[in-house]
Amino acid sequence: MTSITIIGGGVSGLFSAYYLQKAGCQVTIIEQGTFEDGCSFGNAGMIVPSHIVPLAQPGMIAKGLQWMLKSTSPFYVKPRLSWDLMRWGMLFWKHSTEQHVQRSIPVLRDISLLSKKLFQDLAASQEIDFGWHERGLLMLYKNADTEHEMAEEAHLANGAGIVADILTAQQVQDLEPQVRVDVKGAVYYPGDAHITPNLLVKNLVSYLKKRGVWIHENQEVIAFEKQGNKIMAVQTKNTSGERSIFKTETAELVIAAGAWSPVLTEKLGISLPLQGGKGYSFMVKNIAQNIQVPAIMLEARATATPMGTDLRFAGTLEVAGTDMTINMNRVRGIVQGINRYYPDMEVALPEKEKVWRGLRPCSPDGLPYIGRVKSFENVTLATGHGMMGVSLGPATGKLVAELILGAKTSMDIQDFNPLRFG
Ligand SMILES: Cc1cc2nc3c(=O)[nH]c(=O)nc-3n(C[C@H](O)[C@H](O)[C@H](O)COP(=O)(O)OP(=O)(O)OC[C@H]3O[C@@H](n4cnc5c(N)ncnc54)[C@H](O)[C@@H]3O)c2cc1C
């Protein structure tokens, strides 16, 4: 039985464990915190085959610079003297081209559709409850410029085989019978879906435990033991107070450590361009009149996702490395945005303790890193999914398992090569 060690207990690590365990491997997951600490727990839970245009796209740098001037704006780069940040920024700029967008569209579409199918299979199997709903996604806009941009994106999506319908304000309201929506219109993506991410993580963890996956929380991987071009073992340090160090021997290693992945790859001599894109979310509980369809409030760059009788709001992207502090000005920006789109909801600024934050692992070209690392014969990377890590979780896990088992991958993954930037 092949022994596999996975670093990171977010969706990328958990789904890798799910498919590897099913294939008969003995899997160990090592998580430096608890399973609630990563980006996979409190996010917006949208499953988005609609997102076929990468963040690195023409005009994004200009928009970002404009937004950066406002403390409540949805996009921010924390100024730092950092070579990694400069390199990441240069690569982002280099990929903000029409040519890159055109090249990425079919790749992002294919991995998203593969992942959605795997989510559907998982929901049908009833192995795990994760709040699966297929009600689509509304991209809400309030002004003519955004309407124009969205019409172009809808055209691109339809051309790529992803259905996108342009709706009037009244058609949007018809989809939301319980809540008043104040918009100019929307693009509706009926093929999108949503889940409750904390339920997914919690239930996936207990499912894996029951099937014999060894799970270690509060253990931070601090070093690797190598022999030639093979990793033989990982050393960890207990992060819950005691300072014991222990060692796990392994035949295969998967690095799925989210925004912290570059810290680990550096120990292997691999410089991985990746920045944490910090975002916030908070929950409004027990809503009598809830929204029905998840929505992105485009000008506010905020999202709303119904989760049972609760409603989760999320937003902002601060390129912040691994800084986890909460900036309430950004949260205030989200709240102000919401009240312009759903004026009757009167959402209040949550207390700081009720705000969740997570670091999206952002690659500079908007494509994930999924693949083997040439310099080592037993190391696979699974990270860099940015704003789409939950959506792409099952596909990532399946592709990782196929790579490790030496099977034909479900899709061509050369664009996800972790070493594509050298
Ligand atoms: C506000 C917000 C909203 C979002 N909404 C959506 C959405 O609607 N749809 C969507 O698809 N995506 C969304 N995302 C993005 C998504 O949450 C991420 O892309 C995804 O969770 C990344 O998963 P991961 O497993 O790669 O990383 P993580 O979930 O961050 O997991 C990595 C884990 O590795 C652990 N780790 C790191 N270093 C070590 C070490 N040395 N030793 C041991 N463990 C280590 C970390 O503690 C962490 O738990 C959103 C993100 C944010 C912030």
Side-chain angles (χ1 to χ4, degrees), residues 7-14 30-35 37-48 219-222 236 256-261 263-264 277-281 303 305 314-316 356-361 382-392:
I7 309 175
V11 280
S12 306
L14 293 173
I30 303 178
E31 167 54 51
Q32 67 183 357
T34 70
F35 290 94
D37 288 339
C39 194
S40 302
F41 203 74
N43 59 71
M46 294 173 174
I47 307 306
V48 284
Q219 291 288 337
E220 180 192 354
V221 173
I222 50 166
T236 61
W260 298 267
S261 300
V263 180
L264 291 164
K278 190 166 33 175
Y280 304 103
S281 79
T303 63
T305 317
T316 81
W356 173 89
R357 80 275 182 254
L359 294 172
R360 304 170 182 90
T383 185
H385 302 81
M387 306 192 295
M388 295 177 290
V390 177
S391 301
L392 305 184

Side-chain angles (χ1 to χ4, degrees), residues 215-278:
I215 295 189
H216 304 287
E217 290 182 75
N218 296 312
Q219 291 288 337
E220 180 192 354
V221 173
I222 50 166
F224 300 107
E225 288 183 16
K226 302 170 213 162
Q227 215 173 74
N229 61 353
K230 257 191 115 176
I231 301 296
M232 306 305 288
V234 300
Q235 286 181 12
T236 61
K237 177 182 87 179
N238 189 319
T239 48
S240 67
E242 310 137 50
R243 295 243 139 202
S244 65
I245 291 186
F246 86 97
K247 182 169 113 166
T248 308
E249 288 180 6
T250 195
E252 289 281 348
L253 178 72
V254 179
I255 300 181
W260 298 267
S261 300
V263 180
L264 291 164
T265 57
E266 206 176 283
K267 295 182 198 296
L268 302 175
I270 298 161
S271 159
L272 189 73
L274 188 139
Q275 287 287 318
K278 190 166 33 175

